[in-house]
Amino acid sequence: MEIYQIKAFLAVARQLSFTEAANELNLTQPAVSAKIKSLEASLGTALFYRLGRKIELTAAGNYLLEIGPNLIDLEGRLIKGIEEIKQGKFNQLKIGCTPNIINGWLPKILFAYRQKYPEVYLQCLSFETVQEIYQAIAAGDIDVAFSEAISTDNKEDFEEIEAVPVDSFQYYLMVAADHRLASREWLSLRELTEEVWALPDDSTPDWMALAGRLSELGLQLSDFPNREVMHSPSLMNTFLSQGHYLGFASSFQFQTERKANLLTAISLQEFPLDFELFMLQSKHKKKRNHQPQAGISQKPLQQLIRLICARTEYSANQKKSMPTIGRNSGLAPEATPQIASKLPVHWQTSVHFGNQKYGYSGTEKSEPKTLTIAIGTQNRTIQTVTAGLIIQHLGLLEHFLPRRGRYRDTEYQVQWRDFTSGAPIVAGLQSDQLDIGILGDYPLLLSALSPTRTKSQISSAELPHAKTHLAKTRLVSFIASNPDGAGNTVIVPNRSSLTSLDDLRDRVIAVPFASAAHGMIMRTLARAELLSEVTLTSIDNLNIHRLTPRNPQADGYAYFAPLHDIASHQGKFRRLLESDAGQLPTFHGVVVREAFAEEHPELVIAYLKALIAAQYWYETTPSALSLVSNWVGLAPEIVAKTLSYQGSDGSGLFFPDTKIRTDWVKEHIQQLSNISGNEALSKIALDDWIQPEPLEMALSTL
């Protein structure tokens, strides 16, 4: 079989006429017929049915018509490659990228590469869409590509492409330097729906990022009626600088204009985290290039990768410590088998450990159209803001929620329910009213108990279908902790005569029952042998702004941070105890309903990803302190003093930390179970109740 025979066959197959094929090939009809007969003889089968003057393709002919063009294309590439070798261009590297990359990120990389490796022939091609990049890689037109996005409409596109993150970038609101909003450091898209917008073209990665995020947050393009579509960066620049439009763009764009103070980048609340820049390469070509005979063609690419890693310092460790809002949700194949083996059986069968680029596929059963997730938070308990308030304001949970597989048609309704202490959250979890709860150490332990209720303990409002068995829970993560035991204390009026723990004898202390402060005051008084001599009274739904030093019902208050700092800040109270005298570590954690975790393990993992991302944002974002302060309505110094912040020199009471410390949990149980009324805590089966694997899975896929 010769290539010229294939060319003759393809011409006849397209025309279904030997005469017209001969004209196309500039040959005589007998010459074309001879080539076809020779090809059929070499293949040992007929390629055409001859029906008088008409011809039709046989099954073998149809197959050759489908495959034959690839052989012609291969011949062309071989000839082109030989010519390039003859011209001394064999040591070459063909790079593809999107316009933003070629204009903003790649030039410095290529300049440095050219300075170091002048003998390599570089060719850089720009593609408007990710789809075009994939096609170019598959066709062999480029060796490697760089793109801000790796998603396309067809999942088959991923099958031949490997995507590796090599750097990170951000998306911003772009405005002219003299725009009325230019002085703002932080804005939300929800505040800007009535503004005039210059938006990117719908074929660009920027548009994909914007449209995807709007969809996650329940927003639509129609919410921004005053918009123009920009088909080029220069057009957007003109609209921003001359028309005072608002623009949406990546940090790769308008670098010169921003350095010249012509345009200003403003952080967007809906885009708080970094996105990733991906290097794309053919999987098959990569395998071939690992073979010894392919060393010459692979060397320039290896040199480029080393240079990029050196310039961006984007290592695997950095990748895992830096959550990105642009990463596709999914499970890392290299991480999940070990973690999966530790999960309970119902988790292993519910979560599909497949290709990370497609996220969760779950079981065959489709979820309902609307799925409600109820989360109990304590927003004014500053040490827990990363688990509730920040996730809520930044829309992080909406980003990480699975939307493929069994959740492909699901609409989520996230209900954030804020409480002043942990007791109602425990009750909500145990009565199936909450799915996820944010709790301090003592109520966290109480949630692990599953007592039964008698009919006399069930209110009339719950009858006739109330459950007598309360729901079980699982501890899946810590949120914040203080290893020295600080965070809960007793405060007394400034003019109080009380100066020491012993002065509490025969006194009344108000405390939120079943709270972390309740656990602290019981342990402290029990160690001092004062528990029976001090009256503890309930102080549910405490309003700190109405806290008065003239309270005839209480001599002081036992409460958790930041109440004592707020009270001291107002100048009416002082601390009686600086910390837990036993230095028992204090902590807050995430508890989930066992039934919810069994039915929706993907949602638990999604929430934990959002928690990790919120903590990263709080610890690395310069404006985080002022924003959280504004959201909770407390002074920035109180926020920083309660939850350690990057600019507070590590002086906060609590430190963001998700790792579950089983030894601390055991210490709390050991001390509390010896106190009357808490004996049942000793029966908690920690091996069943504590489940660190979901957190491990969340960490492995960020």
Side-chain angles (χ1 to χ4, degrees), residues 148-167:
E148 310 97 306
I150 59 173
S151 298
T152 66
D153 292 334
N154 299 318
K155 69 178 183 179
E156 289 78 10
D157 294 328
F158 286 115
E159 294 178 356
E160 305 300 325
I161 305 297
E162 180 182 60
V164 178
V166 294
D167 206 349

Side-chain angles (χ1 to χ4, degrees), residues 347-423:
W347 280 63
Q348 296 183 42
T349 56
S350 297
V351 181
H352 173 74
F353 303 101
N355 190 321
Q356 72 179 106
K357 297 181 179 65
Y358 299 112
Y360 302 104
S361 63
T363 62
E364 294 299 321
K365 173 187 173 184
S366 292
E367 291 303 321
K369 293 292 183 180
T370 302
L371 202 159
T372 301
I373 307 172
I375 305 173
T377 65
Q378 300 181 63
N379 289 338
R380 291 180 69 83
T381 305
I382 302 301
Q383 53 270 35
T384 68
V385 292
T386 58
L389 194 68
I390 292 177
I391 295 176
Q392 182 180 0
H393 273 267
L394 301 187
L396 294 176
L397 179 56
E398 287 79 359
H399 170 68
F400 290 109
L401 286 172
R403 301 179 187 277
R404 300 181 186 273
R406 64 176 177 139
Y407 296 99
R408 61 188 176 275
D409 298 321
T410 299
E411 292 185 8
Y412 296 101
Q413 288 187 355
V414 182
Q415 296 180 356
W416 297 94
R417 302 178 184 175
D418 189 31
F419 299 90
T420 57
S421 65

Side-chain angles (χ1 to χ4, degrees), residues 184-197:
R184 301 284 295 273
E185 294 184 0
W186 183 270
L187 284 167
S188 170
L189 289 174
R190 300 181 190 276
E191 303 175 56
L192 306 171
T193 55
E194 299 303 319
E195 298 289 339
V196 181
W197 282 85

Side-chain angles (χ1 to χ4, degrees), residues 81-93 119-121 296-298 300:
I82 295 298
E83 286 299 318
E84 290 177 345
I85 291 176
K86 290 163 58 178
Q87 297 173 23
K89 297 180 180 179
F90 61 90
N91 203 20
Q92 68 172 349
L93 185 61
E119 72 282 1
V120 178
Y121 175 73
I296 292 179
S297 62
Q298 183 70 356

Side-chain angles (χ1 to χ4, degrees), residues 201-273:
D201 185 272
D202 61 8
S203 65
T204 63
D206 299 337
W207 170 261
M208 292 171 61
L210 177 60
R213 198 70 179 111
L214 290 176
S215 176
E216 291 172 357
L217 298 172
L219 296 172
Q220 300 178 3
L221 187 61
S222 58
D223 294 327
F224 303 85
N226 306 314
R227 62 185 187 275
E228 298 280 352
V229 177
M230 304 291 104
H231 298 285
S232 69
S234 59
L235 185 60
M236 180 177 286
N237 186 16
T238 300
F239 273 67
L240 296 182
S241 58
Q242 298 184 20
H244 277 197
Y245 281 63
L246 305 186
F248 177 80
S250 75
S251 53
F252 295 138
Q253 297 176 263
F254 308 120
Q255 295 181 5
T256 301
E257 290 83 357
R258 285 186 282 136
K259 288 181 179 178
N261 292 324
L262 299 175
L263 296 179
T264 297
I266 303 173
S267 297
L268 282 168
Q269 182 168 312
E270 290 76 11
F271 291 83
L273 302 176

